[in-house]
Amino acid sequence: MVYATADGAQQQRLRVGMVGGGQGAFIGAVHRLAMRLDDRIALVAGALSSHPDTAAASAAELGIAPDRAYADYRAMAAAEAGRPDGIEAVVIVTPNHLHAPIATAFLEAGIDVICDKPLSTTLPEAEALVALTAARNRKFIVTLNNTGYAMVRQAREMVAAGELGEIVAIHAAYIQDWLTLPIDAEGQKQAEWRTDPARAGESAVLADIGVHAFNLAAFISGRQAEAVSADLFTAVPGRRLDDNAHLLVRWTGGARGTLIASQTSPGHYNDLSVRIHGSKASLEWRGTAPEELRHARYGEEARTIIRGGFGSAGEAQRVSRMPAAHPEGYIEAFANLYRDAAEIIRAHRGKGEIAAGRASFVPDVVDGARGVKFVAAAVASAKGGGAWTPAALD
């Protein structure tokens, strides 16, 4: 299981296993597509379902050997840790409430972790994962995949280079319409667990999509949330968790801003956006047009920087796969994250090198914990009538 690097050298693919993502699941297939794109990762084991028959059938569809198809993640962690060709990392794509116990089992077995967001459903769990990752000296990557877009990374570099001046305001939004009707009450699988407090956590809309908007705002701006004032509400009668969130946010460095998340806004399929306003200029990026970054200097006509085109540079050029006007999108961004994750884990295991600063572009367990703290602070604020609530991770 080798691949050739750009200079022709042969490298072993990173061996991974997956927990969750079996037949009928959505996000597991997305992760598998992304990890295949650069051919640097080999999926060799899986506990793809807690139902033995489904686990075995799902593994067979993916070409996983029968002796490495498990129906229990604990058995998988123990068995793979004991194999000379065992997995080097586990990919966790289960409902939210299982993220922490699964990650804990594999960290304790000495296996690195790649986990879908959110990191966990409670802050104590998130903090425990941060501590355990450090104690076991493992790598823990959280797939906040929008950080993989080329123009998102360009925006981050422009802010860090001071091109916007002092950051004044940070606004983020993630707006969808897929929960406008009570499909959760009708048994739709993806909606049903995402609105169940026992599996989704304290907030549905923030844990599902709001955390992406929050992470993207922090990633690009280089700031962290200090405090939030939140209003969370449920638009669909009888729904067990919120489906809308409106927040005011105080960021480090004195910036102020807003965050809006909605899953009941007709006509918005997957509308993610971030706007950063500084004393010299502003940036705006939208997930519906990911190839473009709007840059407006005060007193000058705004320009649109196109991925792969004039003005696109640095990290954006490195992660671009196609020339300008050959569109890239969601899977490519996800794949950028997986390519970097493979390099980070291989380098940590002494099997390769990674460029200085590369790891800073990939969300880790601390970034995941910040997202969990943000959600917890928003829920506490909403319960307190919108009272300003500390949101910084201790």
Side-chain angles (χ1 to χ4, degrees):
M1 296 190 295
V2 299
Y3 67 92
T5 61
D7 60 5
Q10 297 291 305
Q11 292 277 14
Q12 288 286 331
R13 293 186 182 92
L14 184 75
R15 300 185 303 274
V16 306
M18 178 173 282
V19 179
Q23 293 174 338
F26 160 64
I27 200 64
V30 173
H31 282 255
R32 291 191 292 269
L33 284 170
M35 68 175 68
R36 288 173 186 156
L37 201 56
D38 291 295
D39 202 26
R40 299 187 179 190
I41 297 174
L43 179 62
V44 297
L48 303 173
S49 172
S50 59
H51 302 287
D53 291 344
T54 304
S58 299
E61 285 183 358
L62 298 174
I64 295 173
D67 66 328
R68 302 184 79 173
Y70 307 88
D72 182 271
Y73 68 84
R74 290 170 290 263
M76 176 177 163
E80 291 295 321
R83 294 179 64 116
D85 62 347
I87 62 171
E88 297 164 288
V90 65
V91 177
I92 302 171
V93 289
T94 63
N96 301 351
H97 70 296
L98 295 172
H99 291 181
I102 295 170
T104 298
F106 282 89
L107 288 171
E108 290 180 341
I111 296 169
D112 296 305
V113 175
I114 301 171
C115 183
D116 203 23
K117 59 78 204 166
L119 179 62
S120 64
T121 56
T122 71
L123 186 57
E125 286 178 331
E127 292 172 335
L129 287 174
V130 172
L132 182 60
T133 300
R136 295 304 173 103
N137 190 29
R138 299 269 45 93
K139 290 297 180 181
F140 195 128
I141 290 159
V142 180
T143 54
L144 291 153
N145 57 289
N146 296 293
T147 60
Y149 280 106
M151 301 317 291
V152 165
R153 294 191 174 191
Q154 168 129 357
R156 175 188 171 100
E157 289 190 321
M158 291 173 70
V159 171
E163 294 191 35
L164 272 63
E166 293 297 318
I167 302 303
V168 177
I170 303 167
H171 301 291
Y174 205 150
I175 304 173
Q176 302 174 329
D177 70 357
W178 77 292
L179 290 179
T180 298
L181 299 179
I183 60 173
D184 44 331
E186 296 165 0
Q188 204 271 7
K189 181 180 178 180
Q190 299 299 326
E192 194 272 332
W193 78 255
R194 282 177 168 82
T195 57
D196 177 7
R199 289 175 286 173
E202 294 182 294
S203 169
V205 70
L206 288 178
D208 194 22
I209 61 173
V211 71
H212 276 302
F214 163 71
N215 171 256
L216 204 56
F219 180 83
I220 294 174
S221 70
R223 307 304 194 267
Q224 298 301 327
E226 288 186 330
V228 298
S229 172
D231 180 21
L232 312 184
F233 66 97
T234 304
V236 175
R239 180 162 286 158
R240 291 170 291 177
L241 283 175
D242 53 67
D243 47 32
N244 282 268
H246 296 164
L247 288 79
L248 298 176
V249 185
R250 292 175 180 165
W251 299 89
T252 54
R256 298 291 189 267
T258 59
L259 188 145
I260 299 171
S262 174
Q263 294 177 305
T264 63
S265 296
H268 292 268
Y269 300 121
N270 219 42
D271 192 356
L272 172 63
S273 64
V274 177
R275 290 173 290 144
I276 313 290
H277 302 297
S279 57
K280 296 179 180 178
S282 296
L283 288 173
E284 180 176 1
W285 180 85
R286 305 186 69 89
T288 52
E291 302 273 278
E292 302 176 358
L293 179 63
R294 186 178 185 273
H295 179 216
R297 294 189 181 96
Y298 178 71
E300 300 179 15
E301 187 172 346
R303 64 172 180 153
T304 299
I305 306 172
I306 306 296
R307 184 204 54 77
F310 180 77
S312 175
E315 183 68 8
Q317 291 285 35
R318 182 186 75 84
V319 299
S320 289
R321 300 163 185 278
M322 298 290 176
H326 292 68
E328 296 182 5
Y330 183 73
I331 292 297
E332 288 86 353
F334 227 126
N336 287 335
L337 196 69
Y338 264 102
R339 181 172 60 187
D340 290 345
E343 289 188 14
I344 290 167
I345 293 171
R346 284 184 54 79
H348 185 66
R349 289 175 172 265
K351 297 181 178 181
E353 297 181 354
I354 187 167
R358 181 75 50 81
S360 68
F361 287 94
V362 180
D364 63 10
V365 69
V366 175
D367 295 305
R370 286 177 177 141
V372 175
K373 179 61 179 282
F374 179 78
V375 173
V379 170
S381 172
K383 289 180 178 178
W388 281 101
T389 303
L393 188 65
D394 295 333

